[in-house]
Amino acid sequence: MLVLVINCGSSSVKYQVRDTEGSIEDTQVIAKGLIENIGTKIPNHTEALEIMAKNLEEPLHGKTIDAIGHRVVQGGDIFTEPVLIDEDVLQKIDDLSPLAPLHNPAHVLGIKAATETYPGVPQVAVFDNAFHSTMPEHVYRYAVPEKFYTDYGVRRYGAHGTSHDYVTGIAAEFLGINRDDFNGIIAHLGNGASITAVQGGKCLDTSMGYTPLAGLVMGTRSGDIDPSVLTALMMRDPELTPAKMDHILNKESGLLAIAGNNDMRAVVEAMESGDERAKLALDMTSYRLAKYIGGYHVAVGGAQALVFTAGIGENSSPFRALVGERLGALGIKLDPELNSVRSDAPQIISTEDSAIPVLVIPTNEEKAIAEATVEVVNS
Ligand code: ADP
């Protein structure tokens, strides 16, 4: 089946056409691209998708798209699995916008535009937080007045679920463990980063919360912070409006705030040449992550593996080494040589006597979305 995978943001559309019958990644990806500057150089999402359709003419050689899979960031607690999009689903995705104001409205525009560009082609929504819908209530609730939960939907939702789900499946298969029996810890470390505790192949806990701001120290996001920091500063400085604070914590914090750069490669290089701020930033980031790993090891009743994935997790052996150094108490040991090997395939980077294996597994959200789309369309 030829599936067009669309990741629609407010000013950009990332797309990929995949042949789900291809035997390997190279034969599965027929075309991919990114269209930016929607709202400035390109007037709207419909025109962006028209450009995309034009770009696809040549690589498709007259073949037609069989189905479209959309990445949708927020499914709230309404959508716990991928669904075929109809008017009602579209309305519900729109209604969930208060929980993802930067993303869901853009997804709605993208879905409407795709309906115009590809009339009659089935479209499937694959939700970023669906994998996290198995979290038990004591994990997803916050200890705040009940009304916040019942009236405003304030709870932990998590994100990166498609990636955590996909990587969980690959890890279990790689280790020869039945997925339903697999307990593990998945660290998805990209510009945005989250870690998930997997028990019996399902999500038990995840570090992102009501929004993707919570948890780990990220490229530009603070991760966990004492909430009184916000209220105290906002009471002290009238210029710190909620919108300004939101911007600071999402876009001006994390590695960028401490090291002056949000790219892991640059921060590691700076540390290696003696930059103290870069060292502090990496200490903070690796310490926070190690603390979560310890916590999740306990949460799942003993993980069978620790898995690194996404941009930093797959590529930054220095960062993985910094985290590994902090895991001695768990008996986890990285093998420096294995840790320095780059591979497109899943691999082990721990020593033989490590208490549990540490793996690096390349994530592939587009592949996961395409497969989920085929499954929904075929059912
Ligand atoms: P996202 O999808 O969240 O934007 P990615 O998963 O693409 O992020 O990861 C992006 C991050 O991965 C970059 O900020 C960069 O720091 C890091 N990264 C990418 N390649 C490398 C590399 N070769 N070495 C170290 N870090 C890398």
Side-chain angles (χ1 to χ4, degrees):
M1 204 181 256
L2 272 192
V3 181
L4 168 61
V5 176
I6 296 182
N7 183 351
C8 200
S10 54
S11 67
S12 70
V13 177
K14 214 168 133 186
Y15 62 90
Q16 206 175 89
V17 176
R18 301 187 62 95
D19 175 1
T20 55
E21 269 116 62
S23 53
I24 51 165
E25 185 67 8
D26 281 356
T27 59
Q28 288 188 355
V29 181
I30 308 293
K32 60 180 177 182
L34 172 71
I35 295 170
E36 292 177 291
N37 303 315
I38 302 174
T40 47
K41 287 186 195 145
I42 299 170
N44 55 45
H45 286 77
T46 304
E47 298 218 12
L49 261 62
E50 294 290 333
I51 295 171
M52 175 192 75
K54 273 234 151 56
N55 292 348
L56 290 176
E57 273 170 17
E58 203 211 297
L60 281 178
H61 293 303
K63 281 184 263 178
T64 52
I65 301 289
D66 298 305
I68 301 172
H70 291 268
R71 170 183 183 242
V72 177
V73 164
Q74 183 54 271
D77 43 21
I78 301 175
F79 297 108
T80 56
E81 49 189 41
V83 289
L84 196 65
I85 298 172
D86 58 17
E87 277 301 319
D88 178 53
V89 168
L90 188 61
Q91 185 59 50
K92 287 189 172 120
I93 294 172
D94 202 13
D95 293 344
L96 287 164
S97 293
L99 297 178
L102 298 178
H103 296 101
N104 275 33
H107 301 325
V108 169
L109 293 173
I111 292 166
K112 285 184 176 161
T115 312
E116 286 181 43
T117 311
Y118 297 95
V121 175
Q123 299 189 56
V124 172
V126 180
F127 299 93
D128 225 20
N129 63 330
F131 180 60
H132 303 307
S133 66
T134 51
M135 285 187 288
E137 188 167 6
H138 69 274
V139 171
Y140 69 69
R141 285 288 294 275
Y142 293 116
V144 293
E146 177 100 7
K147 186 178 154 53
F148 290 7
Y149 173 58
T150 51
D151 294 7
Y152 304 119
V154 170
R155 50 159 286 182
R156 180 185 303 282
Y157 292 103
H160 295 143
T162 307
S163 173
H164 286 295
D165 187 10
Y166 174 80
V167 170
T168 296
I170 304 277
E173 193 183 308
F174 181 80
L175 295 167
I177 300 171
N178 193 331
R179 180 173 173 145
D180 296 344
D181 301 324
F182 176 63
N183 295 340
I185 301 167
I186 316 290
H188 174 112
L189 312 175
N191 229 330
S194 68
I195 180 164
T196 292
V198 171
Q199 191 174 50
K202 297 192 171 85
C203 172
L204 170 73
D205 199 352
T206 192
S207 60
M208 284 181 169
Y210 176 63
T211 73
L213 179 58
L216 305 173
V217 177
M218 308 177 217
T220 62
R221 287 176 231 164
S222 64
D224 295 337
I225 184 170
D226 178 350
S228 345
V229 171
L230 280 69
T231 47
L233 289 183
M234 286 164 72
M235 281 190 266
R236 190 179 296 172
D237 180 352
E239 284 191 3
L240 286 175
T241 59
K244 181 100 211 290
M245 208 48 157
D246 191 64
H247 184 86
I248 292 172
L249 293 173
N250 277 292
K251 305 271 176 177
E252 297 175 12
S253 298
L255 287 178
L256 179 62
I258 307 299
N261 196 311
N262 65 309
D263 192 300
M264 183 55 84
R265 282 161 289 203
V267 180
V268 168
E269 267 172 38
M271 177 197 69
E272 284 166 351
S273 56
D275 185 316
E276 288 297 324
R277 291 171 73 208
K279 179 172 184 328
L280 174 62
L282 291 171
D283 280 345
M284 290 168 69
T285 309
S286 58
Y287 174 79
R288 176 90 52 93
L289 179 55
K291 208 160 72 161
Y292 265 96
I293 292 168
Y296 284 178
H297 200 37
V298 172
V300 302
Q304 290 154 303
L306 165 65
V307 187
F308 286 99
T309 192
I312 296 167
E314 292 166 30
N315 297 303
S316 184
S317 50
F319 183 71
R320 291 192 305 252
L322 289 174
V323 178
E325 282 167 19
R326 299 184 184 277
L327 301 175
L330 299 177
I332 293 175
K333 282 186 232 162
L334 296 197
D335 180 319
E337 231 162 86
L338 294 177
N339 185 39
S340 65
V341 176
R342 275 284 272 289
S343 167
D344 289 337
Q347 57 169 336
I348 295 189
I349 58 165
S350 48
T351 59
E352 275 190 25
D353 66 342
S354 174
I356 58 170
V358 180
L359 313 177
V360 174
I361 297 181
T363 192
N364 194 335
E365 283 162 290
E366 287 81 10
K367 181 170 194 236
I369 291 172
E371 285 172 359
T373 300
V374 170
E375 210 169 297
V376 170
V377 170
N378 282 343
S379 63

